[in-house]
Amino acid sequence: MSEWQRVLKEESLASLERLAERFGADVIDVEALKPAFDNFQVRITPAALEQIREVGDPMWNQYVPTVQELDIRDGIIDSLEEDADSPVPNITHRYPDRVLFLVSPVCASYCRFCTRRRKVGDPEKIPLNQYDSAFAYIRSHPEIRDVIMSGGDPMMLSDRRLEYLFQNLRAIPHVEIIRIGSRITSHLPERITPEFCEMVKRYHPVYMNTHFNHPRELTPKVVHALGMLADAGIPLGCQTVLLRGVNDDPDVMKELMQRLLKARVRPYYIYMADQVAGGEHFRTTVQKGLEIVKALRGWTSGLAVPHFVIDSPGGGGKVPLLPEYVEEITDDEVVFRNYEGKRFVYKQPHIPVPAADCGVAAEAPDIVPIQVAQKAAKRTRRRKSASA
Ligand code: SF4
């Protein structure tokens, strides 16, 4: 057994009884929480446990079950309808040139807001003996150039099994990039070993999308593990989930994004929390997310500003959301406000632009009158408000 496997097995907290022992039976009502535990198992690694300072703090909320998980209102079990887009076991093929490949059913710590809680933690739901049909599917679809290994957490697999996956994927000529979606650096930094880093170098380009939700997760040990991955040539991104009671605060998000950059991780996405059954108490409003993006854009390096997206319920994919900066677009000018709210005008070019270049297809004349009508309506509104 390697050291990280030992830490995971011997030092993680994996039962409600142990939680009660550590934090007190008065704050962990074992009987009341049993149904939540049955619904989605509990495991908190030492690295995650260390980050909890008090009951109900952002780290506690991410890992300790609550009876609110049982209060299902709009929650959906498979909120992104991943199973509907699964042509063979363990593969979700939703976008044109990439697939999600579920390679591991388990995680080091279990996050209470997990979108995939219907599968994660149950080895039968992501069968490891069904890799072959996934390889065959990828092989027979030349349009797939990007494979995103996910789970569960792929980094819970041994180096040997990961290498087997890399070898099989690299044997498919049209697979250009491999991505690993993993929260291991936050949960179990011990898993990032020199051996793994040496092995992965043979299969580049390999990217890793990490997952951090709070600046407190970036402990010195975690930052060191991220540095090892970066030194091994793995470009690092971060996916963050906007969670009530964890990071629904512009200052917390700004600190998180800045500290990620310092740890050589490029913030990639902030997701609205999915409408997943059991995780509804983590959801906040879209307005809160837009407020956070507005507090980042312009106020800190552009590199620290991720895309803010909703993963469409029902399987429509990710849709970016942006605060309103543009007030008006006409053929003559664009009126917008900058990050401080100051108003500016950009003059449109006077050189005639071919229709195809400005996004209006020449052979679609019906589009033009609609645009012209919209602009005319805007001009009228503007004249009216000016004379009011
Ligand atoms: S690490 Fe990811 S897959 Fe695992 S429980 Fe947390 S959110 Fe779910």
Side-chain angles (χ1 to χ4, degrees):
M1 191 191 298
S2 48
E3 175 58 12
W4 67 267
Q5 286 166 325
R6 189 200 63 74
V7 172
L8 182 74
K9 190 161 179 249
E10 295 175 9
E11 297 182 19
S12 297
L13 198 153
S15 73
L16 288 174
E17 289 73 17
R18 283 215 39 221
L19 260 177
E21 269 167 43
R22 182 171 171 123
F23 294 104
D26 50 331
V27 290
I28 302 286
D29 182 344
V30 173
E31 277 316 304
L33 288 178
K34 264 206 172 107
F37 180 85
D38 293 343
N39 212 1
F40 189 43
Q41 62 175 285
V42 172
R43 179 160 60 200
I44 314 178
T45 50
L49 210 51
E50 271 168 27
Q51 297 158 16
I52 298 177
R53 291 187 189 149
E54 57 187 5
V55 173
D57 77 5
M59 306 312 299
W60 170 281
N61 291 343
Q62 289 193 68
Y63 303 113
V64 179
T66 145
V67 286
Q68 288 173 290
E69 290 178 33
L70 307 167
D71 182 15
I72 313 247
R73 295 171 190 214
D74 311 318
I76 304 162
I77 292 179
D78 178 11
S79 63
L80 304 180
E81 291 198 10
E82 290 180 325
D83 295 345
D85 280 337
S86 178
V88 295
N90 299 0
I91 290 281
T92 297
H93 194 176
R94 169 159 298 156
Y95 298 100
D97 67 347
R98 53 209 182 275
V99 288
L100 189 71
F101 183 10
L102 302 183
V103 298
S104 161
V106 288
C107 300
S109 295
Y110 290 104
C111 317
R112 305 316 298 178
F113 53 86
C114 182
T115 299
R116 239 172 253 148
R117 57 195 290 153
R118 71 189 186 282
K119 287 183 179 234
V120 166
D122 181 349
E124 285 183 14
K125 299 244 172 95
I126 303 180
L128 299 186
N129 58 359
Q130 289 183 0
Y131 289 159
D132 287 349
S133 57
F135 293 138
Y137 181 83
I138 297 168
R139 212 176 290 121
S140 64
H141 286 262
E143 72 276 19
I144 298 171
R145 42 170 291 286
D146 178 2
V147 176
I148 302 146
M149 301 200 312
S150 184
D153 195 323
M155 293 300 290
M156 290 289 282
L157 301 176
S158 65
D159 284 358
R160 216 168 58 148
R161 199 175 277 260
L162 280 171
E163 182 151 32
Y164 169 79
L165 290 166
F166 289 145
Q167 279 169 345
N168 276 275
L169 291 173
R170 278 283 162 249
I172 303 172
H174 53 263
V175 173
E176 294 172 12
I177 63 172
I178 299 173
R179 288 194 266 175
I180 305 173
S182 170
R183 210 178 170 189
I184 209 80
T185 42
S186 170
H187 289 166
L188 193 64
E190 298 85 348
R191 172 67 186 92
I192 309 304
T193 59
E195 295 74 28
F196 169 78
C197 293
E198 273 311 304
M199 182 271 283
V200 81
K201 285 180 191 168
R202 296 194 282 275
Y203 302 97
H204 277 319
V206 176
Y207 288 67
M208 185 180 283
N209 258 332
T210 64
H211 176 167
F212 290 89
N213 295 326
H214 194 277
R216 210 187 291 166
E217 293 172 48
L218 288 151
T219 62
K221 251 188 182 174
V222 169
V223 171
H224 178 72
L226 291 166
M228 287 173 69
L229 291 170
D231 287 346
I234 303 178
L236 300 170
C238 178
Q239 315 203 131
T240 294
V241 186
L242 175 58
L243 299 166
R244 184 142 67 95
V246 175
N247 57 15
D248 54 338
D249 177 308
D251 291 337
V252 170
M253 280 291 202
K254 188 151 99 183
E255 188 186 343
L256 172 62
M257 301 307 155
Q258 290 173 337
R259 288 183 59 182
L260 283 167
L261 272 190
K262 221 170 131 192
R264 305 164 73 183
V265 182
R266 170 79 155 97
Y268 182 39
Y269 281 131
I270 295 177
Y271 286 94
M272 278 305 289
D274 293 323
Q275 282 179 225
V276 63
E280 291 174 77
H281 54 294
F282 284 108
R283 293 176 58 211
T284 180
T285 60
V286 171
Q287 291 90 318
K288 176 55 76 178
L290 291 171
E291 180 196 329
I292 287 169
V293 176
K294 225 171 170 181
L296 294 174
R297 168 79 55 205
W299 296 101
T300 189
S301 330
L303 280 173
V305 186
H307 305 288
F308 172 46
V309 295
I310 294 189
D311 215 341
S312 317
K318 297 178 198 72
V319 174
L321 300 167
L322 274 175
E324 291 282 340
Y325 291 104
V326 176
E327 289 190 347
E328 186 176 21
I329 301 181
T330 67
D331 286 344
D332 301 324
E333 61 188 29
V334 181
V335 181
F336 54 88
R337 289 189 185 271
N338 78 348
Y339 69 102
E340 293 171 303
K342 291 181 185 153
R343 206 159 167 274
F344 294 88
V345 177
Y346 176 85
K347 294 283 177 202
Q348 299 270 38
H350 287 295
I351 307 159
V353 178
D357 285 358
C358 58
V360 179
E363 63 275 23
D366 54 324
I367 293 173
V368 178
I370 292 167
Q371 289 190 327
V372 169
Q374 284 172 337
K375 282 177 204 152
K378 271 194 177 163
R379 278 198 202 105
T380 312
R381 278 201 301 275
R382 206 163 38 148
R383 271 201 295 273
K384 274 188 187 156
S385 63
S387 61

